[in-house]
Amino acid sequence: MALDDMDISRILRRALSGGGEFADIYFEEGSSTAVVCEEGKIEKILAGTDRGVGIRVISDLRTAYAYTNEITEAALLDLAGTVSRAVRGREFGAPIDMRTKIAAAGFPVAVSPETVPLQDKVALVRRADEAARRMDGRVRQVMVVYRDGRVKTQIANSLGEFIETGRTGTVFLAQVVASQGDVIQTGYEPIGACRGFELFDGRSPEEVARTAAGRALMMLSAAKAPAGMMPVVLSSEAGGTMVHEAIGHGLEADLAQAGMSVYTGRIGTVVASPLVTVIDDPTIPHARGSYSHDDEGVPSRRTVLVENGVLKGYLYDRLSAMKDGCRSTGNGRRESYHARPIVRMSNTLIAPGDTSPESIVREVERGLFVRKMGGGQVNTVTGDFVFEVSEGYLIEKGCVCEPVRGATLTGNGPDVLKKVTKIGTDLGFAIGTCGKDGQGAPVSDAQPTLLIAEITVGGAV
């Protein structure tokens, strides 16, 4: 049973019986598979399905939310009654006529993971594990993870809108630990997209594993990174960790409204170099953070956040948009029906420029070239951040030279973005699962090759 088999208007009216300005029902049905290989053994095989419904009421800009996995009209009427008792407000007097129905199938999938036998998925991780171990005797630990998931959602709200969407995604990653003497290094490489099993047509499991292993092995013999203020070139291969952490979270409207962002109240002001344009775009075909409609049923759209260095706006869900008296940008996302929607990024990127990546490197007399970023953290209130560099090289007289290890980048988001002096014509993507308020959401980040004139590099003194 799904929402279109029920009297949706009746359930919504029950949810609004205690007052409120808006109500919606979120139905989700999904299936997933995960295979984990560690130490040459298949440690986990998880496969299952889940379905449930959440009901939300917004009253006086506050949210009441409850969920259940009992999918019957009687159960949802009871749930709606529970939510209605949690709010007090003006009676909702508008008619609820479910007149608008939109069906969006999502991005086409060539080979649905559901049609692939489990043993074939297990074989993928085994192949990757073996490929990494064959690279070198210094490889000590290998972890390989395969995950796929399909989800169908139906969203109905008190505006009379009914939206049905679908989404399929696949992720594959390898993490390799190598050691030599007392030096231990880790290499990590993920791939993922809104695709099915055809994800591996572009990169084989062996290639992913060898890339991770090669990164760990190369760093074993690398010298310690120098420390101090210096120019840094961020390769497009580094992905968009910088844009995601240094500015992206700070442009989520809920944080800005709460005064928890360095960008609060700064629309129309200069927050970056005039070369920098920042975009959030969930419409990019097959990207990991893409979707046709967000988890509130709002159509996805490309949002320019920073244009030529000037802050143009924030990312919004319905609730934060109501607070600011504007419309949602289609960035209301949730991990599952267990959680209420919150403002989240999708695919966030710095737009390419007009300088060749090679000429950017040639301009640097001495500095750091970052090919891959590692983990990091940011204080959204101050904009201060620190990022690890998982693959970096010295730049000497305009040439990328020997690798270095142990580098970190430390700075302040607005300050560093103002120091971007060159932007390349290329664009590279990285994938991830972004955490916020206890919820994870699939995202991707991207940037062209960037030259930061000066940033603090942590390393050997």
Side-chain angles (χ1 to χ4, degrees):
M1 195 171 193
L3 295 189
D4 44 5
D5 300 318
M6 305 179 189
D7 187 343
I8 301 170
S9 298
R10 183 185 176 198
I11 298 169
L12 289 167
R13 284 195 298 270
R14 177 72 62 85
L16 289 162
S17 60
E21 296 83 54
F22 177 84
D24 61 7
I25 310 170
Y26 177 85
F27 166 85
E28 179 183 86
E29 181 178 54
S31 61
S32 62
T33 303
V35 182
V36 180
C37 180
E38 292 185 83
E39 298 304 306
K41 300 176 182 178
I42 301 299
E43 292 289 341
K44 293 180 183 178
I45 297 179
L46 303 173
T49 60
D50 193 16
R51 64 200 304 260
V53 173
I55 297 179
R56 174 181 61 160
V57 172
I58 297 176
S59 178
D60 294 328
L61 301 181
R62 295 181 179 179
T63 298
Y65 186 75
Y67 66 89
T68 181
N69 55 13
E70 185 178 350
I71 318 298
T72 66
E73 187 166 337
L76 295 192
L77 285 168
D78 286 344
L79 188 68
T82 299
V83 175
S84 72
R85 290 190 291 273
V87 299
R88 292 291 181 270
R90 196 179 345 174
E91 181 180 354
F92 185 86
I96 301 176
D97 178 13
M98 306 308 299
R99 61 192 178 280
T100 305
K101 183 170 183 178
I102 298 172
F107 300 109
V109 171
V111 183
S112 172
E114 293 178 307
T115 67
V116 178
L118 180 60
Q119 59 264 33
D120 290 355
K121 300 174 184 179
V122 172
L124 285 183
V125 299
R126 289 194 184 279
R127 285 164 47 192
D129 176 80
E130 292 169 3
R133 293 181 184 280
R134 284 196 299 266
M135 284 280 290
D136 195 287
R138 294 171 294 174
V139 170
R140 307 301 183 198
Q141 299 176 16
V142 179
M143 180 178 71
V144 182
V145 178
Y146 167 91
R147 292 197 305 267
D148 66 49
R150 176 199 61 81
V151 65
K152 168 190 172 183
T153 64
Q154 292 180 332
I155 305 164
N157 62 43
S158 54
L159 300 176
E161 299 169 337
F162 184 99
I163 297 93
E164 183 174 280
T165 69
R167 190 176 187 272
T168 296
T170 305
V171 173
F172 188 85
L173 64 90
Q175 180 173 291
V176 178
V177 177
S179 68
Q180 180 173 286
D182 59 355
V183 179
I184 300 173
Q185 293 292 307
T186 300
Y188 175 80
E189 184 72 7
I191 59 173
C194 289
R195 294 187 182 275
F197 221 64
E198 71 272 16
L199 176 71
F200 302 101
D201 293 343
R203 292 185 73 185
S204 69
E206 290 87 350
E207 182 183 351
V208 173
R210 284 193 288 263
T211 299
R215 187 166 292 132
L217 291 164
M218 180 178 63
M219 290 295 111
L220 288 177
S221 57
K224 292 183 178 179
M229 296 288 288
M230 65 184 72
V232 169
V233 175
L234 294 181
S235 166
S236 61
E237 295 177 63
T241 300
M242 176 72 75
V243 65
H244 182 96
E245 299 289 357
I247 189 170
H249 276 299
L251 298 183
E252 292 169 335
D254 54 349
L255 295 179
Q257 290 168 343
M260 296 178 64
S261 168
V262 69
Y263 301 101
T264 298
R266 297 189 63 183
I267 291 179
T269 67
V270 175
V271 297
S273 158
L275 299 174
V276 174
T277 292
V278 178
I279 298 165
D280 187 86
D281 189 357
T283 70
I284 299 173
H286 299 289
R288 177 159 161 77
S290 292
Y291 44 85
S292 63
H293 292 71
D294 72 3
D295 294 327
E296 299 181 296
V298 178
S300 63
R301 66 182 177 94
R302 179 179 183 270
T303 302
V304 177
L305 298 167
V306 176
E307 186 172 27
N308 300 326
V310 177
L311 180 58
K312 292 296 185 179
Y314 305 117
L315 297 174
Y316 288 95
D317 63 357
R318 287 189 188 270
L319 177 60
S320 59
M322 290 169 70
K323 291 179 179 178
D324 276 1
C326 60
R327 69 188 183 108
S328 169
T329 57
N331 288 87
R333 306 183 68 191
R334 66 181 99 202
E335 184 171 354
S336 73
Y337 69 89
H338 296 92
R340 64 183 178 86
I342 55 177
V343 188
R344 307 300 298 273
M345 286 176 276
S346 60
N347 307 303
T348 312
L349 59 97
I350 294 177
D354 56 8
T355 306
S356 74
E358 297 78 15
S359 65
I360 291 176
V361 174
R362 285 197 297 268
E363 291 194 15
V364 180
E365 180 67 19
R366 178 176 172 82
L368 181 70
F369 180 83
V370 178
R371 177 156 285 150
K372 274 294 181 182
M373 298 286 282
Q377 56 186 356
V378 63
N379 182 331
T380 60
V381 178
T382 64
D384 294 335
F385 64 80
V386 59
F387 299 132
E388 297 175 356
V389 176
S390 61
E391 185 179 347
Y393 303 81
L394 283 180
I395 300 176
E396 297 278 5
K397 297 181 179 180
C399 295
V400 177
C401 301
E402 66 270 18
V404 292
R405 58 183 167 87
T408 60
L409 304 181
T410 304
N412 177 272
D415 291 344
V416 169
L417 289 173
K418 288 176 182 176
K419 294 178 180 178
V420 174
T421 57
K422 295 289 181 181
I423 295 187
T425 54
D426 52 350
L427 187 66
F429 282 81
I431 67 163
T433 299
C434 175
K436 178 181 175 182
D437 290 357
Q439 297 190 46
V443 297
S444 69
D445 315 298
Q447 65 166 61
T449 297
L450 304 175
L451 173 58
I452 301 171
E454 189 178 59
I455 189 173
T456 301
V457 176
V461 179

